[in-house]
Amino acid sequence: GAGVSQTPSNKVTEKGKYVELRCDPISGHTALYWYRQSLGQGPEFLIYFQGTGAADDSGLPNDRFFAVRPEGSVSTLKIQRTERGDSAVYLCASSLNGVGYEQYFGPGTRLTVT
Amino acid sequence: SQQGEEDPQALSIQEGENATMNCSYKTSINNLQWYRQNSGRGLVHLILIRSNEREKHSGRLRVTLDTSKKSSSLLITASRAADTASYFCATVGQAGANSKLTFGKGITLSVRP
């Protein structure tokens, strides 16, 4: 079956611009996660959805970052007024039902802010 | 913040040898998972071990968990050049139903043909 997909695979934007990153989870997975990975580091948690609601958004670095999952499947991570420090690989993952289940990761979106 | 710390940070072995990677963590966990990452992109789930389990096997992989020492190890037997990758341990905390993963910095494994 299809895995987690993310679009675009690469995004180059200028400082100050707005970007949207999209994640299509595995069909039927109720839990969806966003992580951010900088070079040489492990992924860092950003936000977690259970269904349509954000169960934990404690990892969002500031109010320029926002994510939605309006119908409980596709999710969009939105970054306003991008800064060079936002450059990273943004990873999305989904799992069948949260705690106790493995997470399946997408290929990531490499965001470069110039 | 990163919860897990893997050890060593880098490991280079000959094809056919076994590779052992260790992970330590700080807070109580519901489960611990190991992932592999090639070329800095998507992570592949390898194995999940729950806090009430001590050992799990999957093919050439063996994972142990010692909750009293807050540590886990991943053993890859009879390594292959294709095992060359970064390996991460990640934990799910015990509190409530929050299933977010907290990752370590990873171990770079190089398997020489």
mmCIF file with all atom_site columns, all heavy atoms in Angstrom, chain A residues 80-105:
data_model
loop_
_atom_site.group_PDB
_atom_site.id
_atom_site.type_symbol
_atom_site.label_atom_id
_atom_site.label_alt_id
_atom_site.label_comp_id
_atom_site.label_asym_id
_atom_site.label_entity_id
_atom_site.label_seq_id
_atom_site.pdbx_PDB_ins_code
_atom_site.Cartn_x
_atom_site.Cartn_y
_atom_site.Cartn_z
_atom_site.occupancy
_atom_site.B_iso_or_equiv
_atom_site.pdbx_formal_charge
_atom_site.auth_seq_id
_atom_site.auth_comp_id
_atom_site.auth_asym_id
_atom_site.auth_atom_id
_atom_site.pdbx_PDB_model_num
ATOM 1   N N   . GLN A 1 80  ? 5.069  31.143 8.575  1.00 0.00 ? 80  GLN A N   1
ATOM 2   C CA  . GLN A 1 80  ? 4.982  32.547 8.155  1.00 0.00 ? 80  GLN A CA  1
ATOM 3   C C   . GLN A 1 80  ? 6.325  33.242 8.354  1.00 0.00 ? 80  GLN A C   1
ATOM 4   O O   . GLN A 1 80  ? 7.111  32.836 9.227  1.00 0.00 ? 80  GLN A O   1
ATOM 5   C CB  . GLN A 1 80  ? 3.927  33.277 8.992  1.00 0.00 ? 80  GLN A CB  1
ATOM 6   C CG  . GLN A 1 80  ? 2.529  32.723 8.840  1.00 0.00 ? 80  GLN A CG  1
ATOM 7   C CD  . GLN A 1 80  ? 1.533  33.452 9.742  1.00 0.00 ? 80  GLN A CD  1
ATOM 8   O OE1 . GLN A 1 80  ? 1.849  33.806 10.863 1.00 0.00 ? 80  GLN A OE1 1
ATOM 9   N NE2 . GLN A 1 80  ? 0.340  33.677 9.232  1.00 0.00 ? 80  GLN A NE2 1
ATOM 10  N N   . ARG A 1 81  ? 6.574  34.260 7.554  1.00 0.00 ? 81  ARG A N   1
ATOM 11  C CA  . ARG A 1 81  ? 7.759  35.116 7.728  1.00 0.00 ? 81  ARG A CA  1
ATOM 12  C C   . ARG A 1 81  ? 9.006  34.267 7.969  1.00 0.00 ? 81  ARG A C   1
ATOM 13  O O   . ARG A 1 81  ? 9.691  34.380 8.987  1.00 0.00 ? 81  ARG A O   1
ATOM 14  C CB  . ARG A 1 81  ? 7.539  36.087 8.889  1.00 0.00 ? 81  ARG A CB  1
ATOM 15  C CG  . ARG A 1 81  ? 6.299  36.947 8.757  1.00 0.00 ? 81  ARG A CG  1
ATOM 16  C CD  . ARG A 1 81  ? 6.177  37.963 9.890  1.00 0.00 ? 81  ARG A CD  1
ATOM 17  N NE  . ARG A 1 81  ? 6.187  37.338 11.204 1.00 0.00 ? 81  ARG A NE  1
ATOM 18  C CZ  . ARG A 1 81  ? 5.146  36.762 11.772 1.00 0.00 ? 81  ARG A CZ  1
ATOM 19  N NH1 . ARG A 1 81  ? 3.982  36.695 11.131 1.00 0.00 ? 81  ARG A NH1 1
ATOM 20  N NH2 . ARG A 1 81  ? 5.238  36.248 12.982 1.00 0.00 ? 81  ARG A NH2 1
ATOM 21  N N   . THR A 1 82  ? 9.285  33.390 7.013  1.00 0.00 ? 82  THR A N   1
ATOM 22  C CA  . THR A 1 82  ? 10.377 32.437 7.184  1.00 0.00 ? 82  THR A CA  1
ATOM 23  C C   . THR A 1 82  ? 11.699 33.123 7.488  1.00 0.00 ? 82  THR A C   1
ATOM 24  O O   . THR A 1 82  ? 11.984 34.234 7.011  1.00 0.00 ? 82  THR A O   1
ATOM 25  C CB  . THR A 1 82  ? 10.547 31.563 5.930  1.00 0.00 ? 82  THR A CB  1
ATOM 26  O OG1 . THR A 1 82  ? 10.648 32.403 4.774  1.00 0.00 ? 82  THR A OG1 1
ATOM 27  C CG2 . THR A 1 82  ? 9.389  30.597 5.781  1.00 0.00 ? 82  THR A CG2 1
ATOM 28  N N   . GLU A 1 83  ? 12.501 32.424 8.289  1.00 0.00 ? 83  GLU A N   1
ATOM 29  C CA  . GLU A 1 83  ? 13.840 32.894 8.656  1.00 0.00 ? 83  GLU A CA  1
ATOM 30  C C   . GLU A 1 83  ? 14.854 31.839 8.231  1.00 0.00 ? 83  GLU A C   1
ATOM 31  O O   . GLU A 1 83  ? 14.508 30.670 8.056  1.00 0.00 ? 83  GLU A O   1
ATOM 32  C CB  . GLU A 1 83  ? 13.910 33.111 10.171 1.00 0.00 ? 83  GLU A CB  1
ATOM 33  C CG  . GLU A 1 83  ? 12.931 34.141 10.680 1.00 0.00 ? 83  GLU A CG  1
ATOM 34  C CD  . GLU A 1 83  ? 12.973 34.289 12.188 1.00 0.00 ? 83  GLU A CD  1
ATOM 35  O OE1 . GLU A 1 83  ? 13.711 33.534 12.859 1.00 0.00 ? 83  GLU A OE1 1
ATOM 36  O OE2 . GLU A 1 83  ? 12.247 35.172 12.703 1.00 0.00 ? 83  GLU A OE2 1
ATOM 37  N N   . ARG A 1 84  ? 16.119 32.256 8.080  1.00 0.00 ? 84  ARG A N   1
ATOM 38  C CA  . ARG A 1 84  ? 17.148 31.320 7.629  1.00 0.00 ? 84  ARG A CA  1
ATOM 39  C C   . ARG A 1 84  ? 17.275 30.144 8.591  1.00 0.00 ? 84  ARG A C   1
ATOM 40  O O   . ARG A 1 84  ? 17.562 29.016 8.198  1.00 0.00 ? 84  ARG A O   1
ATOM 41  C CB  . ARG A 1 84  ? 18.473 32.034 7.454  1.00 0.00 ? 84  ARG A CB  1
ATOM 42  C CG  . ARG A 1 84  ? 18.426 33.022 6.306  1.00 0.00 ? 84  ARG A CG  1
ATOM 43  C CD  . ARG A 1 84  ? 19.793 33.482 5.836  1.00 0.00 ? 84  ARG A CD  1
ATOM 44  N NE  . ARG A 1 84  ? 19.638 34.430 4.745  1.00 0.00 ? 84  ARG A NE  1
ATOM 45  C CZ  . ARG A 1 84  ? 19.489 35.745 4.895  1.00 0.00 ? 84  ARG A CZ  1
ATOM 46  N NH1 . ARG A 1 84  ? 19.508 36.280 6.102  1.00 0.00 ? 84  ARG A NH1 1
ATOM 47  N NH2 . ARG A 1 84  ? 19.332 36.530 3.852  1.00 0.00 ? 84  ARG A NH2 1
ATOM 48  N N   . GLY A 1 85  ? 17.023 30.371 9.861  1.00 0.00 ? 85  GLY A N   1
ATOM 49  C CA  . GLY A 1 85  ? 17.087 29.307 10.860 1.00 0.00 ? 85  GLY A CA  1
ATOM 50  C C   . GLY A 1 85  ? 15.997 28.256 10.721 1.00 0.00 ? 85  GLY A C   1
ATOM 51  O O   . GLY A 1 85  ? 16.071 27.219 11.382 1.00 0.00 ? 85  GLY A O   1
ATOM 52  N N   . ASP A 1 86  ? 15.003 28.540 9.874  1.00 0.00 ? 86  ASP A N   1
ATOM 53  C CA  . ASP A 1 86  ? 13.951 27.539 9.634  1.00 0.00 ? 86  ASP A CA  1
ATOM 54  C C   . ASP A 1 86  ? 14.405 26.478 8.640  1.00 0.00 ? 86  ASP A C   1
ATOM 55  O O   . ASP A 1 86  ? 13.713 25.470 8.457  1.00 0.00 ? 86  ASP A O   1
ATOM 56  C CB  . ASP A 1 86  ? 12.687 28.218 9.080  1.00 0.00 ? 86  ASP A CB  1
ATOM 57  C CG  . ASP A 1 86  ? 12.097 29.232 10.032 1.00 0.00 ? 86  ASP A CG  1
ATOM 58  O OD1 . ASP A 1 86  ? 12.330 29.114 11.256 1.00 0.00 ? 86  ASP A OD1 1
ATOM 59  O OD2 . ASP A 1 86  ? 11.406 30.157 9.563  1.00 0.00 ? 86  ASP A OD2 1
ATOM 60  N N   . SER A 1 87  ? 15.543 26.689 8.008  1.00 0.00 ? 87  SER A N   1
ATOM 61  C CA  . SER A 1 87  ? 16.043 25.726 7.028  1.00 0.00 ? 87  SER A CA  1
ATOM 62  C C   . SER A 1 87  ? 16.315 24.390 7.704  1.00 0.00 ? 87  SER A C   1
ATOM 63  O O   . SER A 1 87  ? 17.041 24.333 8.703  1.00 0.00 ? 87  SER A O   1
ATOM 64  C CB  . SER A 1 87  ? 17.323 26.241 6.372  1.00 0.00 ? 87  SER A CB  1
ATOM 65  O OG  . SER A 1 87  ? 17.076 27.427 5.641  1.00 0.00 ? 87  SER A OG  1
ATOM 66  N N   . ALA A 1 88  ? 15.721 23.324 7.173  1.00 0.00 ? 88  ALA A N   1
ATOM 67  C CA  . ALA A 1 88  ? 15.817 21.991 7.766  1.00 0.00 ? 88  ALA A CA  1
ATOM 68  C C   . ALA A 1 88  ? 15.037 21.035 6.886  1.00 0.00 ? 88  ALA A C   1
ATOM 69  O O   . ALA A 1 88  ? 14.393 21.444 5.915  1.00 0.00 ? 88  ALA A O   1
ATOM 70  C CB  . ALA A 1 88  ? 15.238 21.970 9.184  1.00 0.00 ? 88  ALA A CB  1
ATOM 71  N N   . VAL A 1 89  ? 15.081 19.752 7.244  1.00 0.00 ? 89  VAL A N   1
ATOM 72  C CA  . VAL A 1 89  ? 14.191 18.782 6.622  1.00 0.00 ? 89  VAL A CA  1
ATOM 73  C C   . VAL A 1 89  ? 12.986 18.601 7.543  1.00 0.00 ? 89  VAL A C   1
ATOM 74  O O   . VAL A 1 89  ? 13.149 18.318 8.740  1.00 0.00 ? 89  VAL A O   1
ATOM 75  C CB  . VAL A 1 89  ? 14.895 17.431 6.389  1.00 0.00 ? 89  VAL A CB  1
ATOM 76  C CG1 . VAL A 1 89  ? 13.899 16.402 5.839  1.00 0.00 ? 89  VAL A CG1 1
ATOM 77  C CG2 . VAL A 1 89  ? 16.061 17.590 5.418  1.00 0.00 ? 89  VAL A CG2 1
ATOM 78  N N   . TYR A 1 90  ? 11.802 18.787 6.988  1.00 0.00 ? 90  TYR A N   1
ATOM 79  C CA  . TYR A 1 90  ? 10.560 18.638 7.751  1.00 0.00 ? 90  TYR A CA  1
ATOM 80  C C   . TYR A 1 90  ? 9.974  17.269 7.438  1.00 0.00 ? 90  TYR A C   1
ATOM 81  O O   . TYR A 1 90  ? 9.666  16.958 6.291  1.00 0.00 ? 90  TYR A O   1
ATOM 82  C CB  . TYR A 1 90  ? 9.597  19.769 7.420  1.00 0.00 ? 90  TYR A CB  1
ATOM 83  C CG  . TYR A 1 90  ? 10.076 21.081 8.007  1.00 0.00 ? 90  TYR A CG  1
ATOM 84  C CD1 . TYR A 1 90  ? 11.059 21.824 7.356  1.00 0.00 ? 90  TYR A CD1 1
ATOM 85  C CD2 . TYR A 1 90  ? 9.585  21.545 9.219  1.00 0.00 ? 90  TYR A CD2 1
ATOM 86  C CE1 . TYR A 1 90  ? 11.553 23.000 7.909  1.00 0.00 ? 90  TYR A CE1 1
ATOM 87  C CE2 . TYR A 1 90  ? 10.060 22.724 9.781  1.00 0.00 ? 90  TYR A CE2 1
ATOM 88  C CZ  . TYR A 1 90  ? 11.049 23.440 9.125  1.00 0.00 ? 90  TYR A CZ  1
ATOM 89  O OH  . TYR A 1 90  ? 11.526 24.594 9.682  1.00 0.00 ? 90  TYR A OH  1
ATOM 90  N N   . LEU A 1 91  ? 9.857  16.469 8.475  1.00 0.00 ? 91  LEU A N   1
ATOM 91  C CA  . LEU A 1 91  ? 9.403  15.086 8.339  1.00 0.00 ? 91  LEU A CA  1
ATOM 92  C C   . LEU A 1 91  ? 7.989  14.933 8.893  1.00 0.00 ? 91  LEU A C   1
ATOM 93  O O   . LEU A 1 91  ? 7.667  15.476 9.942  1.00 0.00 ? 91  LEU A O   1
ATOM 94  C CB  . LEU A 1 91  ? 10.340 14.153 9.101  1.00 0.00 ? 91  LEU A CB  1
ATOM 95  C CG  . LEU A 1 91  ? 11.781 14.080 8.599  1.00 0.00 ? 91  LEU A CG  1
ATOM 96  C CD1 . LEU A 1 91  ? 12.679 13.453 9.645  1.00 0.00 ? 91  LEU A CD1 1
ATOM 97  C CD2 . LEU A 1 91  ? 11.862 13.304 7.301  1.00 0.00 ? 91  LEU A CD2 1
ATOM 98  N N   . CYS A 1 92  ? 7.194  14.180 8.192  1.00 0.00 ? 92  CYS A N   1
ATOM 99  C CA  . CYS A 1 92  ? 5.852  13.849 8.639  1.00 0.00 ? 92  CYS A CA  1
ATOM 100 C C   . CYS A 1 92  ? 5.796  12.339 8.886  1.00 0.00 ? 92  CYS A C   1
ATOM 101 O O   . CYS A 1 92  ? 6.451  11.568 8.174  1.00 0.00 ? 92  CYS A O   1
ATOM 102 C CB  . CYS A 1 92  ? 4.838  14.252 7.577  1.00 0.00 ? 92  CYS A CB  1
ATOM 103 S SG  . CYS A 1 92  ? 3.143  13.788 7.944  1.00 0.00 ? 92  CYS A SG  1
ATOM 104 N N   . ALA A 1 93  ? 5.047  11.937 9.877  1.00 0.00 ? 93  ALA A N   1
ATOM 105 C CA  . ALA A 1 93  ? 4.866  10.514 10.167 1.00 0.00 ? 93  ALA A CA  1
ATOM 106 C C   . ALA A 1 93  ? 3.419  10.257 10.540 1.00 0.00 ? 93  ALA A C   1
ATOM 107 O O   . ALA A 1 93  ? 2.716  11.163 10.999 1.00 0.00 ? 93  ALA A O   1
ATOM 108 C CB  . ALA A 1 93  ? 5.789  10.068 11.300 1.00 0.00 ? 93  ALA A CB  1
ATOM 109 N N   . SER A 1 94  ? 2.977  9.028  10.337 1.00 0.00 ? 94  SER A N   1
ATOM 110 C CA  . SER A 1 94  ? 1.639  8.661  10.806 1.00 0.00 ? 94  SER A CA  1
ATOM 111 C C   . SER A 1 94  ? 1.707  7.307  11.502 1.00 0.00 ? 94  SER A C   1
ATOM 112 O O   . SER A 1 94  ? 2.632  6.522  11.281 1.00 0.00 ? 94  SER A O   1
ATOM 113 C CB  . SER A 1 94  ? 0.633  8.623  9.650  1.00 0.00 ? 94  SER A CB  1
ATOM 114 O OG  . SER A 1 94  ? 0.874  7.542  8.768  1.00 0.00 ? 94  SER A OG  1
ATOM 115 N N   . SER A 1 95  ? 0.763  7.091  12.379 1.00 0.00 ? 95  SER A N   1
ATOM 116 C CA  . SER A 1 95  ? 0.669  5.782  13.029 1.00 0.00 ? 95  SER A CA  1
ATOM 117 C C   . SER A 1 95  ? -0.801 5.406  13.157 1.00 0.00 ? 95  SER A C   1
ATOM 118 O O   . SER A 1 95  ? -1.686 6.264  13.116 1.00 0.00 ? 95  SER A O   1
ATOM 119 C CB  . SER A 1 95  ? 1.371  5.750  14.377 1.00 0.00 ? 95  SER A CB  1
ATOM 120 O OG  . SER A 1 95  ? 0.612  6.393  15.379 1.00 0.00 ? 95  SER A OG  1
ATOM 121 N N   . LEU A 1 96  ? -1.035 4.124  13.340 1.00 0.00 ? 96  LEU A N   1
ATOM 122 C CA  . LEU A 1 96  ? -2.399 3.603  13.337 1.00 0.00 ? 96  LEU A CA  1
ATOM 123 C C   . LEU A 1 96  ? -3.254 4.281  14.394 1.00 0.00 ? 96  LEU A C   1
ATOM 124 O O   . LEU A 1 96  ? -4.381 4.702  14.127 1.00 0.00 ? 96  LEU A O   1
ATOM 125 C CB  . LEU A 1 96  ? -2.367 2.091  13.550 1.00 0.00 ? 96  LEU A CB  1
ATOM 126 C CG  . LEU A 1 96  ? -3.704 1.369  13.406 1.00 0.00 ? 96  LEU A CG  1
ATOM 127 C CD1 . LEU A 1 96  ? -4.258 1.548  12.004 1.00 0.00 ? 96  LEU A CD1 1
ATOM 128 C CD2 . LEU A 1 96  ? -3.528 -0.124 13.713 1.00 0.00 ? 96  LEU A CD2 1
ATOM 129 N N   . ASN A 1 97  ? -2.713 4.396  15.601 1.00 0.00 ? 97  ASN A N   1
ATOM 130 C CA  . ASN A 1 97  ? -3.545 4.947  16.670 1.00 0.00 ? 97  ASN A CA  1
ATOM 131 C C   . ASN A 1 97  ? -2.742 5.448  17.848 1.00 0.00 ? 97  ASN A C   1
ATOM 132 O O   . ASN A 1 97  ? -3.135 5.289  18.982 1.00 0.00 ? 97  ASN A O   1
ATOM 133 C CB  . ASN A 1 97  ? -4.534 3.876  17.145 1.00 0.00 ? 97  ASN A CB  1
ATOM 134 C CG  . ASN A 1 97  ? -5.700 4.452  17.919 1.00 0.00 ? 97  ASN A CG  1
ATOM 135 O OD1 . ASN A 1 97  ? -5.957 5.648  17.853 1.00 0.00 ? 97  ASN A OD1 1
ATOM 136 N ND2 . ASN A 1 97  ? -6.380 3.617  18.677 1.00 0.00 ? 97  ASN A ND2 1
ATOM 137 N N   . GLY A 1 98  ? -1.577 6.067  17.582 1.00 0.00 ? 98  GLY A N   1
ATOM 138 C CA  . GLY A 1 98  ? -0.888 6.724  18.684 1.00 0.00 ? 98  GLY A CA  1
ATOM 139 C C   . GLY A 1 98  ? -0.015 5.810  19.521 1.00 0.00 ? 98  GLY A C   1
ATOM 140 O O   . GLY A 1 98  ? 0.791  5.037  19.003 1.00 0.00 ? 98  GLY A O   1
ATOM 141 N N   . VAL A 1 99  ? -0.181 5.891  20.827 1.00 0.00 ? 99  VAL A N   1
ATOM 142 C CA  . VAL A 1 99  ? 0.740  5.224  21.757 1.00 0.00 ? 99  VAL A CA  1
ATOM 143 C C   . VAL A 1 99  ? 0.785  3.729  21.502 1.00 0.00 ? 99  VAL A C   1
ATOM 144 O O   . VAL A 1 99  ? -0.250 3.087  21.329 1.00 0.00 ? 99  VAL A O   1
ATOM 145 C CB  . VAL A 1 99  ? 0.311  5.491  23.217 1.00 0.00 ? 99  VAL A CB  1
ATOM 146 C CG1 . VAL A 1 99  ? 1.190  4.708  24.182 1.00 0.00 ? 99  VAL A CG1 1
ATOM 147 C CG2 . VAL A 1 99  ? 0.407  6.964  23.534 1.00 0.00 ? 99  VAL A CG2 1
ATOM 148 N N   . GLY A 1 100 ? 2.005  3.191  21.475 1.00 0.00 ? 100 GLY A N   1
ATOM 149 C CA  . GLY A 1 100 ? 2.170  1.760  21.316 1.00 0.00 ? 100 GLY A CA  1
ATOM 150 C C   . GLY A 1 100 ? 2.287  1.289  19.882 1.00 0.00 ? 100 GLY A C   1
ATOM 151 O O   . GLY A 1 100 ? 2.467  0.103  19.647 1.00 0.00 ? 100 GLY A O   1
ATOM 152 N N   . TYR A 1 101 ? 2.168  2.221  18.951 1.00 0.00 ? 101 TYR A N   1
ATOM 153 C CA  . TYR A 1 101 ? 2.250  1.853  17.538 1.00 0.00 ? 101 TYR A CA  1
ATOM 154 C C   . TYR A 1 101 ? 3.455  2.518  16.878 1.00 0.00 ? 101 TYR A C   1
ATOM 155 O O   . TYR A 1 101 ? 3.785  3.661  17.177 1.00 0.00 ? 101 TYR A O   1
ATOM 156 C CB  . TYR A 1 101 ? 0.990  2.267  16.789 1.00 0.00 ? 101 TYR A CB  1
ATOM 157 C CG  . TYR A 1 101 ? -0.234 1.503  17.208 1.00 0.00 ? 101 TYR A CG  1
ATOM 158 C CD1 . TYR A 1 101 ? -1.014 1.944  18.271 1.00 0.00 ? 101 TYR A CD1 1
ATOM 159 C CD2 . TYR A 1 101 ? -0.606 0.335  16.548 1.00 0.00 ? 101 TYR A CD2 1
ATOM 160 C CE1 . TYR A 1 101 ? -2.130 1.242  18.672 1.00 0.00 ? 101 TYR A CE1 1
ATOM 161 C CE2 . TYR A 1 101 ? -1.732 -0.375 16.941 1.00 0.00 ? 101 TYR A CE2 1
ATOM 162 C CZ  . TYR A 1 101 ? -2.485 0.084  18.001 1.00 0.00 ? 101 TYR A CZ  1
ATOM 163 O OH  . TYR A 1 101 ? -3.588 -0.616 18.393 1.00 0.00 ? 101 TYR A OH  1
ATOM 164 N N   . GLU A 1 102 ? 4.086  1.796  15.968 1.00 0.00 ? 102 GLU A N   1
ATOM 165 C CA  . GLU A 1 102 ? 5.225  2.384  15.274 1.00 0.00 ? 102 GLU A CA  1
ATOM 166 C C   . GLU A 1 102 ? 4.755  3.505  14.362 1.00 0.00 ? 102 GLU A C   1
ATOM 167 O O   . GLU A 1 102 ? 3.624  3.517  13.890 1.00 0.00 ? 102 GLU A O   1
ATOM 168 C CB  . GLU A 1 102 ? 5.986  1.328  14.469 1.00 0.00 ? 102 GLU A CB  1
ATOM 169 C CG  . GLU A 1 102 ? 5.158  0.569  13.475 1.00 0.00 ? 102 GLU A CG  1
ATOM 170 C CD  . GLU A 1 102 ? 4.645  -0.748 14.054 1.00 0.00 ? 102 GLU A CD  1
ATOM 171 O OE1 . GLU A 1 102 ? 4.287  -0.773 15.257 1.00 0.00 ? 102 GLU A OE1 1
ATOM 172 O OE2 . GLU A 1 102 ? 4.574  -1.719 13.289 1.00 0.00 ? 102 GLU A OE2 1
ATOM 173 N N   . GLN A 1 103 ? 5.676  4.447  14.126 1.00 0.00 ? 103 GLN A N   1
ATOM 174 C CA  . GLN A 1 103 ? 5.379  5.565  13.246 1.00 0.00 ? 103 GLN A CA  1
ATOM 175 C C   . GLN A 1 103 ? 6.039  5.330  11.896 1.00 0.00 ? 103 GLN A C   1
ATOM 176 O O   . GLN A 1 103 ? 7.181  4.876  11.829 1.00 0.00 ? 103 GLN A O   1
ATOM 177 C CB  . GLN A 1 103 ? 5.868  6.876  13.871 1.00 0.00 ? 103 GLN A CB  1
ATOM 178 C CG  . GLN A 1 103 ? 5.118  7.204  15.162 1.00 0.00 ? 103 GLN A CG  1
ATOM 179 C CD  . GLN A 1 103 ? 5.513  8.514  15.788 1.00 0.00 ? 103 GLN A CD  1
ATOM 180 O OE1 . GLN A 1 103 ? 6.053  9.408  15.139 1.00 0.00 ? 103 GLN A OE1 1
ATOM 181 N NE2 . GLN A 1 103 ? 5.225  8.661  17.076 1.00 0.00 ? 103 GLN A NE2 1
ATOM 182 N N   . TYR A 1 104 ? 5.327  5.652  10.850 1.00 0.00 ? 104 TYR A N   1
ATOM 183 C CA  . TYR A 1 104 ? 5.820  5.508  9.489  1.00 0.00 ? 104 TYR A CA  1
ATOM 184 C C   . TYR A 1 104 ? 6.099  6.903  8.933  1.00 0.00 ? 104 TYR A C   1
ATOM 185 O O   . TYR A 1 104 ? 5.191  7.739  8.903  1.00 0.00 ? 104 TYR A O   1
ATOM 186 C CB  . TYR A 1 104 ? 4.804  4.772  8.621  1.00 0.00 ? 104 TYR A CB  1
ATOM 187 C CG  . TYR A 1 104 ? 4.583  3.350  9.075  1.00 0.00 ? 104 TYR A CG  1
ATOM 188 C CD1 . TYR A 1 104 ? 3.621  3.053  10.038 1.00 0.00 ? 104 TYR A CD1 1
ATOM 189 C CD2 . TYR A 1 104 ? 5.360  2.307  8.568  1.00 0.00 ? 104 TYR A CD2 1
ATOM 190 C CE1 . TYR A 1 104 ? 3.433  1.748  10.473 1.00 0.00 ? 104 TYR A CE1 1
ATOM 191 C CE2 . TYR A 1 104 ? 5.167  1.003  8.995  1.00 0.00 ? 104 TYR A CE2 1
ATOM 192 C CZ  . TYR A 1 104 ? 4.213  0.725  9.948  1.00 0.00 ? 104 TYR A CZ  1
ATOM 193 O OH  . TYR A 1 104 ? 4.031  -0.558 10.377 1.00 0.00 ? 104 TYR A OH  1
ATOM 194 N N   . PHE A 1 105 ? 7.327  7.099  8.489  1.00 0.00 ? 105 PHE A N   1
ATOM 195 C CA  . PHE A 1 105 ? 7.769  8.420  8.075  1.00 0.00 ? 105 PHE A CA  1
ATOM 196 C C   . PHE A 1 105 ? 7.688  8.603  6.564  1.00 0.00 ? 105 PHE A C   1
ATOM 197 O O   . PHE A 1 105 ? 7.913  7.664  5.789  1.00 0.00 ? 105 PHE A O   1
ATOM 198 C CB  . PHE A 1 105 ? 9.204  8.666  8.523  1.00 0.00 ? 105 PHE A CB  1
ATOM 199 C CG  . PHE A 1 105 ? 9.314  9.043  9.965  1.00 0.00 ? 105 PHE A CG  1
ATOM 200 C CD1 . PHE A 1 105 ? 9.232  8.083  10.960 1.00 0.00 ? 105 PHE A CD1 1
ATOM 201 C CD2 . PHE A 1 105 ? 9.491  10.364 10.344 1.00 0.00 ? 105 PHE A CD2 1
ATOM 202 C CE1 . PHE A 1 105 ? 9.315  8.421  12.297 1.00 0.00 ? 105 PHE A CE1 1
ATOM 203 C CE2 . PHE A 1 105 ? 9.574  10.723 11.680 1.00 0.00 ? 105 PHE A CE2 1
ATOM 204 C CZ  . PHE A 1 105 ? 9.490  9.752  12.656 1.00 0.00 ? 105 PHE A CZ  1
#
